[in-house]
């Protein structure tokens, strides 16, 4: 099925108006609903590292650049995983999950045949060039970080059947966006701040994103020979690791916010930690008990909102200080 067959519907199994560009298919390729929430993380980093709001020009260019970067990297994931995703679907049938953020439109549209590989590659190249130009304009270091992210994302995908420790690469890739945002607003950020920022995002990504995302595919992955945290560690250990990583991320957030150049006040950095705990720990604890796909989806969805919650707290700090 071609993108023009999917103009008005989010499913490849529904009729559509022919001859129209199906933007939703491309947005599904880049997991845009998830990607939009991810934008909060580099925005948080920019505020924390810059000590306040950047200039209007940097804000405008930064918004375009981070959107382009996340759009490109998520599309790259599906492009590199195209053959393995297609083989898994052929061997195990349709993916019937629901209430899962990454399947808001359709999951793996390339493997489903909703668009061709050249079309997907052109989409990736367009956004990658836009992201590179924007990143280089902000700071050449940001452009090199973008290239590193694309290389590491490719390595992450290619290691699917090699080792479950590839999850660490996923954590690094997710942390590179906030690191780039830091260099965009401060040419010489503190190494200690960068280390704390990296650890905060890395722990959140592993506990709230990587493990629950791979949870859904565990049965397929096991049959396919893939090596992921839930497959190798088992559901019990993987769920406990998710809880531990999320707790670590929440604890790391407090000194990060307090000691950053933004110097977030104690009531607000404490509020960010408490509200974050209320957001992510109940579904994580429930996953430990139930070990169900539905609870893994709930954890993934709620953890995806955590950076946006922190961003709201930072905006409040800017308004009241």
């Amino acid at each position: 099925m071609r993108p023009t067959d999917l103009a008005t519907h989010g499913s490849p199994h529904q009729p559509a108006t022919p001859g129209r560009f199906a933007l939703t298919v491309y947005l599904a390729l880049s997991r845009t609903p998830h990607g939009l929430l991810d934008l909060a993380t580099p925005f948080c980093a920019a505020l924390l590292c810059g000590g306040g709001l950047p200039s209007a020009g940097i804000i405008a260019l930064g918004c375009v650049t981070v959107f382009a970067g996340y759009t490109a990297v998520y599309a790259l994931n599906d492009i590199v995983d195209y053959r393995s995703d297609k083989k898994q679907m052929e061997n195990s049938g349709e993916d019937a999950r629901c209430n899962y953020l990454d399947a808001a439109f359709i999951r793996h549209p390339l493997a489903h045949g909703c668009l061709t590989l050249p079309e997907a590659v052109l989409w990736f190249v367009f956004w990658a060039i836009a992201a590179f130009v924007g990143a280089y304009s902000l700071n050449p270091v940001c452009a090199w970080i973008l290239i590193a992210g694309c290389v590491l994302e490719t390595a992450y995908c290619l290691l699917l059947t090699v080792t479950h420790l590839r999850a660490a690469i996923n954590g690094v890739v997710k942390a590179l966006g906030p690191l780039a945002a830091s260099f965009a607003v401060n040419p010489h950020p503190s190494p200690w701040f960068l280390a704390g920022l990296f650890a905060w995002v890395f722990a959140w990504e592993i506990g709230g994103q990587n493990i629950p995302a791979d949870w859904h595919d565990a049965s397929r992955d096991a049959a396919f020979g893939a090596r992921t945290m839930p497959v190798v560690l088992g559901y019990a250990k993987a769920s406990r690791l998710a809880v531990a990583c999320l707790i670590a991320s929440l604890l790391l957030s407090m000194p990060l916010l307090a000691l950053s150049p933004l110097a977030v006040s104690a009531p607000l950095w404490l509020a960010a930690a408490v509200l974050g705990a209320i957001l992510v720990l109940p579904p994580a604890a429930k996953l430990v008990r139930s070990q169900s796909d539905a609870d893994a989806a709930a954890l993934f969805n709620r953890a995806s909102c955590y950076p946006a919650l922190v961003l709201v707290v930072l905006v409040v700090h800017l308004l009241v200080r």
Side-chain angles (χ1 to χ4, degrees):
M1 181 173 295
R2 298 296 300 276
T4 50
D5 299 325
L6 249 163
T8 58
H9 299 282
S11 167
H13 308 295
Q14 295 176 322
T17 304
R20 293 177 60 191
F21 175 74
L23 180 60
T24 53
V25 176
Y26 290 94
L27 298 181
L29 179 70
S30 293
R31 307 176 200 178
T32 301
H34 183 191
L36 289 174
L37 286 172
D38 278 345
L39 300 186
T41 318
F43 293 162
C44 286
L47 292 177
L48 290 169
C49 189
L53 279 175
S55 67
I58 290 180
I59 291 175
L61 181 57
C63 287
V64 173
T65 301
V66 295
F67 176 81
Y70 280 101
T71 300
V73 172
Y74 274 126
L76 178 63
N77 180 283
D78 262 27
I79 290 169
V80 178
D81 275 345
Y82 163 59
R83 288 180 176 82
S84 61
D85 289 338
K86 187 174 182 179
K87 186 176 294 185
Q88 286 193 35
M89 284 189 291
E90 288 172 349
N91 293 338
S92 58
E94 290 294 324
D95 186 350
R97 81 188 70 190
C98 59
N99 299 323
Y100 179 51
L101 183 61
D102 268 6
F105 296 128
I106 177 175
R107 195 160 182 259
H108 303 316
L110 181 58
H112 273 288
C114 298
L115 70 166
T116 66
L117 185 59
E119 288 166 340
V121 171
L122 283 174
W123 174 262
F124 160 73
V125 170
F126 172 81
W127 289 110
I129 292 174
F132 181 85
V133 172
Y136 194 88
S137 300
L138 289 166
N139 186 335
V141 174
C142 300
W144 285 110
I145 291 175
L146 172 65
I147 293 173
C150 290
V151 171
L152 289 173
E153 184 68 18
T154 301
Y156 168 76
C157 296
L158 295 177
L159 290 172
L160 176 63
T161 59
V162 178
T163 175
H164 65 293
L165 298 179
R166 74 192 189 105
I169 298 178
N170 192 212
V172 172
V173 172
K174 190 59 70 76
L176 289 180
L179 293 182
S182 300
F183 281 99
V185 298
N186 185 345
H188 305 288
S190 163
W192 290 108
F193 171 80
L194 294 179
L197 178 67
F198 177 90
W200 174 55
V201 176
F202 182 93
W204 161 74
E205 166 65 21
I206 299 300
Q209 305 282 272
N210 184 270
I211 290 176
D214 283 342
W215 196 285
H216 290 280
D217 295 321
S219 58
R220 291 184 178 192
D221 286 339
F224 183 71
R227 311 284 291 177
T228 65
M229 289 289 192
V231 170
V232 176
L233 300 181
Y235 288 144
K237 288 183 179 179
S239 60
R240 290 196 294 269
L241 178 60
V243 172
C245 287
L246 288 170
I247 291 174
S249 182
L250 292 167
L251 292 175
L252 286 165
S253 72
M254 293 186 281
L256 177 68
L257 270 60
L259 301 177
S260 72
L262 189 59
V264 179
S265 61
L268 286 177
W269 60 249
L270 183 59
V274 171
L275 293 174
I278 293 172
L279 180 68
V280 302
L281 292 186
K286 189 175 180 181
L287 181 61
V288 172
R289 297 191 300 270
S290 70
Q291 299 180 11
S292 71
D293 284 358
D295 287 330
L299 173 58
F300 181 91
N301 294 346
R302 291 182 62 166
S304 297
C305 298
Y306 170 61
L309 183 151
V310 176
L311 180 60
V312 169
V313 171
L314 298 185
V315 171
V316 171
H317 171 76
L318 292 174
L319 293 174
V320 301
R321 69 173 180 173

